[in-house]
């Protein structure tokens, strides 16, 4: 497949992933606002922090490394060995669910049953739901490798919508069930998700005349199951070794990704109610990051992994591929920087208003606005890091990945220590400050790799991190105007003043986006081109 075709599919996957994340976040956004009016913040804290951490840790440790390794490389592979490797995620998930479930039940503080009922059941069911989701891993990887965008959109949308409907109905009718509500909804979600993939491939493989079926490396459902063949290794050992490298890295990355939740869970620096408030603000702050940056990172990691040969210097590869990758990386860096700056500049002046509208005085008073403002700065770093790491991890050799693990080990240790110290010093804001510090270090590591990678080539993709003085001045003026507007118009002077504050922000945002359109013509051309490619690919399929 030519680089431009891969790029078009990656752009289509990113745009579909973006729409999917918009749907998920909007549903979660509305659902959380609904739940806050029926259940205590302690239950919200237990579900959103402790039980979700159990589920995400099990899933991450069991499958993240396998996904990265099995999505790397071209079509020339023995897919039966790849499927065998992917099925190992299930016993690995069983191990992690049993071990972590025991930790959650025996070593951690158990909440008061009168405040948070059915905690034990919640732990068991959330751990079980992680194992259920792993049963669909071979189907997911096969779909991603062949970029079945609509399948992912339908499966995940349907499962999230049905889960949300079930949660809302149970909260409304049976609020006294406590954690039973979220446990049943979580297990229902993973079951529907896996069934969607299984049913899709069952029907597709049963239609030999389908063009999609003819492009697949399997012809029947049994081909996706574990298979032992004589005189052939059970798994591809190159993929297995790469998986092990990514596993060591994923373990450390999980600590960095969910570090504040680990500190809250294991060190008890915040009570369950404060954990609930922090998590709500954290989810609200990361809304745009998850809507935009995560789909881009996932989709363009696949693009870079397919276009570039892992571990090879840029001068030793096809120069057409290297040039395309450089153009894409430069444009993605520019896009991430502009989106992150926009969120940071305007988020500072509108954090308190957003929290007041969303959750009332419970969120907008106290540390809530400071938390959200701090998170706006963190979003800027998240945006840049997502792009730089998706390229770095796609281009690194196995040896470089192993060396990077040592850096991640140091970051993990420093993050945990820094989180604990800063939280003791300045409360929950300390979690965000520690995240900012570690994210800045990770960005520096990735930028250094990208600079070395393209050093001997004529391409300079890091130019995407430079902005014109006119655009920087526009951001600065917009930040100043909206800051003054917040002082005089928000947030205790009634809705007319609030609407005026929103109008000021809308005007400044329009002026900023207009300046971007006039000054960043190269980025605008890239977006127009790739959106056009994405739409064309969608029509062709």
């Amino acid at each position: 497949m030519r680089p431009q075709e891969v790029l078009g599919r990656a752009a289509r996957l990113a745009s579909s992933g973006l729409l999917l994340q918009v749907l998920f976040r909007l549903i979660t956004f509305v659902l959380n606002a609904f739940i806050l009016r029926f259940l205590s913040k302690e239950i919200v804290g237990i579900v959103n922090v402790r039980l979700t951490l159990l589920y995400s840790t099990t899933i991450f440790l069991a499958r993240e490394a396998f996904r990265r390794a099995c999505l790397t490389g071209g079509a020339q592979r023995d897919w039966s060995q790849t499927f065998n490797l992917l099925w190992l995620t299930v016993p690995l998930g069983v191990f992690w669910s049993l071990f972590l479930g025991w930790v959650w039940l025996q070593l951690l503080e158990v909440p008061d049953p009168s405040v948070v009922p059915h905690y034990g059941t919640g732990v068991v069911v959330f751990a079980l739901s992680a194992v259920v989701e792993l049963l669909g891993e071979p189907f997911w990887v096969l779909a991603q490798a062949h970029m079945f965008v609509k399948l992912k959109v339908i499966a995940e949308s349907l499962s999230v919508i049905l889960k949300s409907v079930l949660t809302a109905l149970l909260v409304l009718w049976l609020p006294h069930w406590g954690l039973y509500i979220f446990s049943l909804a979580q297990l229902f979600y993973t079951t529907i998700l896996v069934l969607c993939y299984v049913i899709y491939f069952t029907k597709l493989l049963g239609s030999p005349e389908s063009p999609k079926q003819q492009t697949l490396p399997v012809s029947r459902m049994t081909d996706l199951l574990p298979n032992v063949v004589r005189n052939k290794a059970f798994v591809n050992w190159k993929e297995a070794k790469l998986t092990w490298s990514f596993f060591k890295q994923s373990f450390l990355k999980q600590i960095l990704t969910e570090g504040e939740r680990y500190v809250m869970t294991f060190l008890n620096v915040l009570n369950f109610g404060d954990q609930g408030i922090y998590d709500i603000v954290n989810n609200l702050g990361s809304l745009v990051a998850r809507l935009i940056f995560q789909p881009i990172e996932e989709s363009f990691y696949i693009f870079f992994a397919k276009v570039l040969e892992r571990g090879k210097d840029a001068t030793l590869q096809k120069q057409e591929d290297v040039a395309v990758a450089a153009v894409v990386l430069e444009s993605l860096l520019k896009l991430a920087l502009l989106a992150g700056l926009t969120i940071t500049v305007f988020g500072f002046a509108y954090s308190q208003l957003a929290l007041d509208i969303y959750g009332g005085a419970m969120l907008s008073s106290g540390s809530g606005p400071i938390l959200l403002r701090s998170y706006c700065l963190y979003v800027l770093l998240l945006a840049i890091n997502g792009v730089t790491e998706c390229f770095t991890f796609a281009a690194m050799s196995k040896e470089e990945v192993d060396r990077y693990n040592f850096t991640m080990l140091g970051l993990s240790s420093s993050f945990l220590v820094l989180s604990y110290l800063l939280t003791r010093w300045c409360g929950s804001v300390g979690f965000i400050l520690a995240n900012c510090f570690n994210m800045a270090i990770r960005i520096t590591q990735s930028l250094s790799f990208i600079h070395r990678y393209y050093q001997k080539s004529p391409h300079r993709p890091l130019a995407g991190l430079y902005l014109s003085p006119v655009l920087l001045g526009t951001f600065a003026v917009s930040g100043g105007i909206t800051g003054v507007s917040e002082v005089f118009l928000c947030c205790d002077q009634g809705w007319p003043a609030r609407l005026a504050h929103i109008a000021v922000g809308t005007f400044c945002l329009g002026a900023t986006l207009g300046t971007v359109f006039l000054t960043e013509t190269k980025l605008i051309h890239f977006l127009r081109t790739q959106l056009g490619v994405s739409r064309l690919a969608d029509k062709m399929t």
Side-chain angles (χ1 to χ4, degrees):
M1 188 179 295
R2 294 172 55 237
Q4 291 293 344
E5 294 176 357
V6 177
L7 175 59
R9 291 197 175 189
R12 178 167 164 250
L13 189 61
S15 60
S16 298
L18 173 59
L19 294 175
L20 193 62
Q21 289 295 328
V22 169
L23 175 64
F24 291 176
R25 292 303 113 193
L26 288 177
I27 291 174
T28 304
F29 183 82
V30 174
L31 186 62
N32 281 339
F34 174 77
I35 289 173
L36 285 173
R37 282 141 179 89
F38 290 88
L39 300 178
S40 67
K41 60 183 180 181
E42 284 78 14
I43 289 182
V44 174
I46 287 292
V47 173
N48 290 354
V49 177
R50 183 171 289 192
L51 296 183
T52 301
L53 182 64
L54 170 64
Y55 165 80
S56 65
T57 302
T58 303
I59 286 290
F60 196 93
L61 294 178
R63 80 181 182 191
E64 177 70 12
F66 290 87
R67 282 188 171 185
R68 285 190 174 275
C70 294
L71 285 173
T72 300
Q76 300 302 319
R77 69 168 77 183
D78 188 329
W79 273 95
S80 65
Q81 292 180 323
T82 299
F83 292 139
N84 288 341
L85 183 64
L86 287 169
W87 279 110
L88 294 178
T89 59
V90 177
L92 188 60
V94 171
F95 165 77
W96 283 117
S97 64
L98 291 174
F99 174 73
L100 294 175
W102 176 80
V103 171
W104 257 241
L105 289 172
Q106 301 297 325
L107 301 184
L108 298 181
E109 177 190 358
V110 177
D112 184 352
S114 63
V115 179
V116 183
H118 317 303
Y119 171 72
T121 301
V123 170
V124 172
V125 176
F126 268 76
L128 176 61
S129 67
V131 176
V132 171
E133 185 167 340
L134 293 172
L135 294 172
E137 199 60 19
F139 305 95
W140 186 92
V141 170
L142 182 61
Q144 284 292 103
H146 291 79
M147 295 187 177
F148 290 176
V149 181
K150 293 180 180 179
L151 171 59
K152 180 180 179 180
V153 171
I154 293 173
E156 298 192 15
S157 299
L158 181 63
S159 55
V160 167
I161 290 172
L162 292 178
K163 172 190 174 182
S164 301
V165 170
L166 178 61
T167 303
L169 292 176
L170 291 177
V171 167
L172 185 62
W173 294 339
L174 303 166
H176 60 280
W177 274 23
L179 295 185
Y180 279 158
I181 296 172
F182 301 96
S183 302
L184 290 174
Q186 181 66 25
L187 186 59
F188 182 68
Y189 160 77
T190 55
T191 302
I192 295 298
L193 183 62
V194 172
L195 285 177
C196 285
Y197 280 92
V198 172
I199 293 172
Y200 177 85
F201 279 107
T202 300
K203 290 186 175 181
L204 180 61
L205 295 176
S207 305
E209 70 281 357
S210 172
K212 284 188 177 182
Q213 195 274 351
Q214 296 171 7
T215 63
L216 292 177
V218 295
S219 57
R220 56 186 184 274
M221 286 294 289
T222 54
D223 292 339
L224 281 84
L225 298 176
N227 186 25
V228 180
V229 180
R230 283 187 177 183
N231 302 321
K232 187 170 69 172
F234 183 70
V235 298
N236 184 321
W237 287 107
K238 183 179 179 181
E239 284 184 342
K241 291 177 181 178
L242 186 60
T243 300
W244 175 241
S245 297
F246 278 128
F247 176 78
K248 292 181 287 185
Q249 176 186 312
S250 66
F251 185 84
L252 300 172
K253 185 178 179 181
Q254 176 69 1
I255 295 176
L256 293 176
T257 304
E258 302 280 8
E260 68 271 18
R261 287 178 170 81
Y262 289 116
V263 173
M264 282 189 284
T265 298
F266 287 94
L267 299 180
N268 297 321
V269 294
L270 299 176
N271 60 46
F272 294 127
D274 289 340
Q275 289 180 27
I277 296 297
Y278 173 82
D279 186 76
I280 292 169
V281 174
N282 181 54
N283 285 333
L284 184 61
S286 63
L287 186 64
V288 177
R290 293 180 179 180
L291 292 181
I292 300 176
F293 307 135
Q294 186 175 345
I296 290 176
E297 179 182 354
E298 291 176 351
S299 301
F300 282 94
Y301 170 79
I302 299 174
F303 164 73
F304 289 127
K306 286 182 176 291
V307 169
L308 301 175
E309 294 185 53
R310 180 179 294 277
K312 269 194 176 183
D313 188 82
T315 57
L316 302 178
Q317 303 195 43
K318 292 181 181 179
Q319 292 307 298
E320 179 190 359
D321 295 354
V322 172
V324 171
V327 170
V328 173
L329 179 58
E330 180 180 350
S331 299
L332 290 178
L333 284 173
K334 182 79 70 175
L335 179 63
L337 179 61
L338 289 173
L341 274 176
T342 302
I343 293 167
T344 301
V345 169
F346 289 92
F348 268 74
Y350 290 88
S351 293
Q352 186 176 358
L353 178 59
L355 291 175
D356 193 65
I357 294 174
Y358 183 60
M362 184 181 71
L363 295 182
S364 62
S365 60
S367 62
I370 299 176
L371 275 173
L372 192 53
R373 290 187 183 106
S374 302
Y375 211 99
C376 290
L377 175 62
Y378 180 50
V379 166
L380 171 60
L381 300 177
L382 272 177
I384 298 173
N385 181 72
V387 173
T388 56
E389 282 197 348
C390 84
F391 177 88
T392 300
F393 291 148
M396 273 184 173
S397 66
K398 176 185 176 300
E399 293 74 20
E400 288 172 321
V401 171
D402 287 335
R403 286 197 298 269
Y404 191 79
N405 288 337
F406 288 101
T407 303
M408 297 285 279
L409 177 61
L411 286 175
S412 302
S413 303
S414 65
F415 172 76
L416 294 177
V417 173
L418 196 60
S419 294
Y420 180 77
L421 295 177
L422 289 176
T423 305
R424 290 293 185 186
W425 176 47
C426 55
S428 52
V429 177
F431 285 126
I432 301 176
L433 296 180
N435 271 311
C436 288
F437 172 79
N438 282 277
M439 197 61 64
I441 299 296
R442 288 168 63 178
I443 291 172
T444 303
Q445 293 287 327
S446 297
L447 292 179
S448 177
F449 174 84
I450 295 170
H451 174 73
R452 293 194 308 269
Y453 188 86
Y454 280 103
Q455 192 170 15
K456 296 180 181 179
S457 76
H459 310 291
R460 296 294 179 265
L462 294 184
L465 294 176
Y466 295 100
L467 297 179
S468 68
V470 174
L471 184 54
L472 288 174
T474 303
F475 274 116
V477 172
S478 296
I481 292 174
T482 53
V484 172
S485 173
E486 182 185 29
V487 172
F488 290 99
L489 299 175
C490 186
C491 287
D492 54 358
Q493 301 183 43
W495 271 104
R498 292 183 179 189
L499 293 175
H501 181 46
I502 293 173
V504 171
T506 303
F507 173 80
C508 291
L509 179 61
T512 302
L513 295 179
T515 306
V516 169
F517 187 82
L518 294 175
T519 58
E520 301 296 338
T521 54
K522 189 175 181 180
L523 174 63
I524 300 301
H525 174 73
F526 172 81
L527 292 176
R528 284 177 171 173
T529 302
Q530 296 315 314
L531 287 176
V533 171
S534 175
R535 285 194 293 267
L536 178 61
D538 190 51
K539 290 179 180 179
M540 294 177 65
T541 55

